[in-house]
Amino acid sequence: MTRFANRTRELHLFEQMLRRQVRERILLVEAPSGYGKTGLMGRFEILCSQGIHPVLIDLKGAQAGIAFVFSRIQRVLGKPRFPKFNTQIDRFLNSGVEIQNNRLTGEGSQIQVILDVPPEQRNYRLTQLQQVFFEELERFDRPIAFILDTYNGATEELAGWIESQFLAEVALNPKLFAIVAGQIIPQPTIEWQNLHHRCKLDRIMEREAWYGYVKDVGFDCFSCQEEIDVLIDAVGGVPAQVVLLLEGAARTRQQI
């Protein structure tokens, strides 16, 4: 399990969302590199426990764009649970798409072939696929939490689709939650602006939080808290850098 010095505010808000204690179902997490976004996304996935279907997707690896996201969600939740979506894919593939002239490699390849058409036809097909896909999500037995990491690494088209269409669909279905994290985050649109909360991760300067972290991970080589204070101040409380300094200092002292 990922350990944190202090992200209790964000974790508490996410738990409130899952328990329906707040109206928001979309959480945007913004922070520079090294502030612990990815670790926090992993912790969100764990918090879903048995009551929520978590779907964790790293958008920087989504080179196939929108097709990758559709396919990844299917793989996590189970492709057989999307019969109408799969039928729609087959219908498009059998309606004149020259599959043999396209490269069918990687996740989402068939969907990518379907969308590899002129813009007007592409928009029609994407709309049809999207409508059927989200209709099938409504029939799931449990709520679903989409956890999308590295939004700044998404292709321009994928980022625009998430900001406009994907999050708008999430807003329409009470069973769906979405967490989007990145150095940049989506800009709210009228369809989902009233259902979102924005968190900006800060540096962690709280001494007690770091003392607890050191104890939690078993770094017992520090003789006093002042030694930890020096490391925190040296990098201004940037979480990833503090952790590196603590780990480096611990290794050095163990070798002595």
Side-chain angles (χ1 to χ4, degrees):
M1 179 181 295
T2 303
R3 295 180 174 89
F4 294 93
N6 182 15
R7 287 292 179 233
T8 55
R9 178 174 63 92
E10 292 79 12
L11 292 170
H12 178 63
L13 177 59
F14 184 62
E15 288 180 322
Q16 286 183 309
M17 288 172 56
L18 296 183
R19 294 171 182 169
R20 312 285 183 171
Q21 295 173 344
V22 294
R23 66 170 298 179
E24 291 87 358
R25 288 186 287 106
I26 297 171
L27 179 62
L28 308 180
V29 181
E30 179 184 12
S33 177
Y35 277 56
K37 294 185 301 296
T38 297
L40 185 59
M41 296 303 102
R43 189 62 177 273
F44 285 160
E45 182 182 27
I46 293 172
L47 286 177
C48 289
S49 65
Q50 299 300 314
I52 308 288
H53 290 295
V55 181
L56 181 59
I57 303 176
D58 189 346
L59 297 177
K60 73 173 179 291
Q63 295 307 308
I66 298 171
F68 176 93
V69 173
F70 277 131
S71 181
R72 185 67 175 174
I73 293 172
Q74 277 193 297
R75 286 190 62 188
V76 173
L77 297 178
K79 190 171 181 179
R81 304 186 75 168
F82 296 85
K84 292 185 178 180
F85 181 76
N86 296 325
T87 298
Q88 186 69 273
I89 290 175
D90 291 339
R91 184 177 298 119
F92 282 132
L93 289 175
N94 293 324
S95 64
V97 177
E98 296 294 332
I99 304 175
Q100 64 271 21
N101 294 328
N102 293 276
R103 294 181 60 195
L104 289 177
T105 59
E107 194 159 19
S109 55
Q110 285 190 324
I111 303 172
Q112 185 60 34
V113 166
I114 291 170
L115 297 178
D116 189 18
V117 291
E120 183 175 344
Q121 190 176 6
R122 175 186 174 85
N123 291 337
Y124 169 76
R125 290 181 173 184
L126 178 57
T127 299
Q128 295 299 307
L129 289 174
Q130 180 178 303
Q131 179 177 339
V132 173
F133 192 80
F134 280 92
E135 284 177 356
E136 299 206 282
L137 289 175
E138 291 181 4
R139 291 191 287 272
F140 268 65
D141 56 330
R142 289 185 287 170
I144 301 166
F146 299 111
I147 305 171
L148 310 181
D149 193 20
T150 327
Y151 178 76
N152 50 284
T155 63
E156 182 177 355
E157 180 189 50
L158 176 57
W161 179 71
I162 291 172
E163 180 178 280
S164 57
Q165 300 178 58
F166 184 87
L167 291 178
E169 291 286 354
V170 169
L172 288 173
N173 187 342
K175 285 186 178 180
L176 303 182
F177 300 88
I179 301 87
V180 186
Q183 296 178 34
I184 59 173
I185 53 178
Q187 295 301 306
T189 68
I190 192 170
E191 289 88 355
W192 55 271
Q193 63 182 358
N194 293 327
L195 290 175
H196 90 285
H197 188 93
R198 175 178 175 270
C199 289
K200 189 169 185 179
L201 300 186
D202 298 319
R203 299 166 184 256
I204 301 176
M205 296 300 297
E206 295 89 346
R207 272 32 179 177
E208 292 298 328
W210 283 113
Y211 302 156
Y213 173 84
V214 168
K215 181 179 179 180
D216 189 33
V217 298
F219 291 161
D220 54 4
C221 56
F222 295 97
S223 60
C224 63
Q225 294 178 343
E226 285 74 14
E227 292 179 332
I228 301 173
D229 293 343
V230 170
L231 300 181
I232 298 170
D233 292 335
V235 292
V238 175
Q241 296 180 27
V242 175
V243 170
L244 286 175
L245 288 180
L246 289 171
E247 291 176 345
R251 283 195 302 268
T252 299
R253 296 181 185 206
Q254 290 171 356
Q255 295 170 357
I256 295 176

